[in-house]
Amino acid sequence: MKARERVATWGSALPARSQRSTFGLRVSYIALSAYSPPPLLTEERSGRSEARADALSGALRVGRASCAAIASRIWALLAGRGTGSAAAEMSYGSSSIASGAKTATRTFDFGRTHVVRPKGRHLATVVWLHGLGDNGASWSQLLETLPLPNIKWICPTAPTRPVAIFGGFPSTSWFDVTDLSEDGPDDIEGLDASAAHVANLLSTEPADIKLGVGGFSMGAATALYSATSCAHGTYGNGKPYPVNLSSVVGLSGWLPCARSLKSKLEGSQDAARRASSLPILLCHGKGDEVVLYKHGERSAQVLKSNRFENVTFKTYNGLGHYTVPGEMDDVCKFLTATGS
C-alpha cells in the first residue's frame, strides 16, 4: 500500500488499542510513519515533504499528554465519579467578558498563545482554535508548513477548567460542555469569553488585514459561535462584537446555540447581510465517532437555512476525529479563494 493510501485509512489500519483519538489530534506512530504530504503542499520544494512530516510528528507528540489525560478522565466518567454534581454546578448565565477576566461565576485564564509569522507579505490573520484537551502549540507546528505564505496564524490555548463531560475533571476547554453536539445545553458565558478572546487577538491587527477564525472539534464550535456573533453584531450577552470576519473554517465540529440562531437573526437586515456574505468552510469525516458526522451535517444545514448562504460543507469517507492532508488541502484552497 502506498503511503498516501495509508494516510487515507488511518482508522482502519490501526490496532484497536491505537484507535483512540484526542479531541485535538489523532495520536499514532503508525499514522506518523504513513504520512506523506500531497502535491499541493509539496509544491516541488526541496525538503517540504520532510518538513510537513516533522511538523505533524511534533504536533502529535504534543498531543500524547492530552490523550493520556483525557483517557483517564473518560474512564473516571464511565465509572460514574462526579457526574451528577458537575452538571448541577454548571452555569449558563451571561456576564462580563474579557480575556482573563473574572465574571460573576467563573474566571477565565487563557493559556499560552503561539504565533506563526507569515513568510511573505502579510495579507490575512487567522486565529486557529484547538480541540478539547489540546493546546495551541500542536496546531501551530502543522499550520506553519502550509503553502499559505501571506497568513499570520495565531494559536491560543484555552483555559483549564472543570468540564462536565469529564465528570468535572479539569481540562483545556473553550467552554463547558455536556455533549459534543448542538443537542447539549449551551454555556453562553464560556462561549462569550472565548469568542471575546478571539476578537481581542484579532482587534490589534492592521486595518488592511483580512481576519479569519478556524478550529478543530470544540475549536471549530467556538469558531462557528464567533461567526454567528459577527453576523448578529453582538455576543450572547448583548455586548457588541468588535471585528469583521472575512473567513471561517470548522473541522469536525458543531454549531453551538443552533436552536436560537433563527430568533437572533430575524428582523435585522444588517445581520442578514453579514451572514450571507461570510464565507464558511465546514469539513467532517463520515467515520467520526467523537463528534458524529450527522452533527456536522446538521450544523451546515442550520447555517444555510438561517441566511448563511456562503457555506461549503465537505465530507470525507472513512475519516475519523482527526485531520488528513486532503482535508488540509481543502482548507488551503478555501483560504486562498477568500483572499486570506
Side-chain angles (χ1 to χ4, degrees):
M1 182 183 291
K2 296 180 180 178
R4 187 81 47 77
E5 293 171 343
R6 291 200 299 273
V7 171
T9 57
W10 281 359
S12 60
L14 300 179
R17 260 185 96 182
S18 300
Q19 290 191 35
R20 297 179 189 170
S21 66
T22 70
F23 294 103
L25 289 174
R26 190 60 164 277
V27 179
S28 169
Y29 71 91
I30 296 179
L32 296 180
S33 65
Y35 179 76
S36 175
L40 175 67
L41 301 180
T42 303
E43 291 186 326
E44 299 181 353
R45 296 179 184 176
S46 175
R48 170 69 72 176
S49 298
E50 289 80 2
R52 282 295 306 280
D54 290 344
L56 185 59
S57 175
L60 292 175
R61 281 198 301 273
V62 171
R64 283 196 176 98
S66 297
C67 185
I70 288 173
S72 66
R73 292 165 189 153
I74 290 175
W75 283 115
L77 179 61
L78 292 176
R81 295 206 304 240
T83 55
S85 59
E89 292 169 1
M90 290 179 64
S91 170
Y92 299 102
S94 61
S95 59
S96 62
I97 49 178
S99 300
K102 183 175 182 181
T103 69
T105 55
R106 285 181 284 175
T107 299
F108 302 100
D109 294 316
F110 290 84
R112 181 179 176 184
T113 296
H114 301 262
V115 177
V116 179
R117 303 290 178 184
K119 298 177 177 65
R121 181 187 173 194
H122 183 198
L123 298 178
T125 296
V126 177
V127 172
W128 190 269
L129 306 172
H130 61 77
L132 177 60
D134 203 0
N135 58 65
S138 60
W139 277 97
S140 67
Q141 296 174 62
L142 182 58
L143 295 171
E144 69 179 342
T145 67
L146 299 181
L148 297 168
N150 305 119
I151 292 182
K152 172 185 175 182
W153 299 95
I154 302 178
C155 303
T157 299
T160 298
R161 67 178 79 194
V163 180
I165 200 171
F166 294 151
F169 282 79
S171 178
T172 52
S173 180
W174 298 110
F175 52 93
D176 201 359
V177 62
T178 60
D179 186 21
L180 301 181
S181 76
E182 72 279 7
D183 297 330
D186 295 309
D187 175 17
I188 302 298
E189 185 184 7
L191 284 162
D192 278 349
S194 290
H197 187 62
V198 170
N200 289 343
L201 292 171
L202 291 173
S203 65
T204 59
E205 294 300 294
D208 60 339
I209 297 300
K210 290 190 174 182
L211 307 177
V213 59
F216 176 82
S217 191
M218 176 180 271
T222 307
L224 290 180
Y225 184 78
S226 296
T228 58
S229 297
C230 177
H232 187 240
T234 66
Y235 297 102
N237 64 7
K239 293 191 175 183
Y241 188 82
V243 298
N244 293 317
L245 298 177
S246 299
S247 58
V248 178
V249 178
L251 311 182
S252 305
W254 71 94
L255 176 63
C257 304
R259 296 181 294 271
S260 60
L261 183 58
K262 183 177 180 179
S263 62
K264 286 179 63 175
L265 299 179
E266 276 184 338
S268 172
Q269 292 185 351
D270 288 340
R273 175 183 52 80
R274 288 189 292 264
S276 63
S277 63
L278 180 57
I280 300 176
L281 172 67
L282 300 182
C283 303
H284 218 107
K286 289 191 173 181
D288 195 331
E289 296 180 351
V290 178
V291 180
L292 299 182
Y293 172 81
K294 67 178 182 180
H295 298 307
E297 185 178 41
R298 174 62 177 161
S299 296
Q301 293 171 348
V302 170
L303 287 169
K304 290 180 179 179
S305 65
N306 285 281
R307 303 186 180 185
F308 287 87
E309 301 170 2
N310 200 358
V311 174
T312 301
F313 183 62
K314 288 189 172 290
T315 64
Y316 305 85
N317 291 327
L319 178 63
H321 200 65
Y322 50 92
T323 190
V324 290
E327 184 178 49
M328 297 311 296
D329 280 354
D330 290 332
V331 172
C332 290
K333 293 174 184 176
F334 171 78
L335 291 177
T336 300
T338 56
S340 298

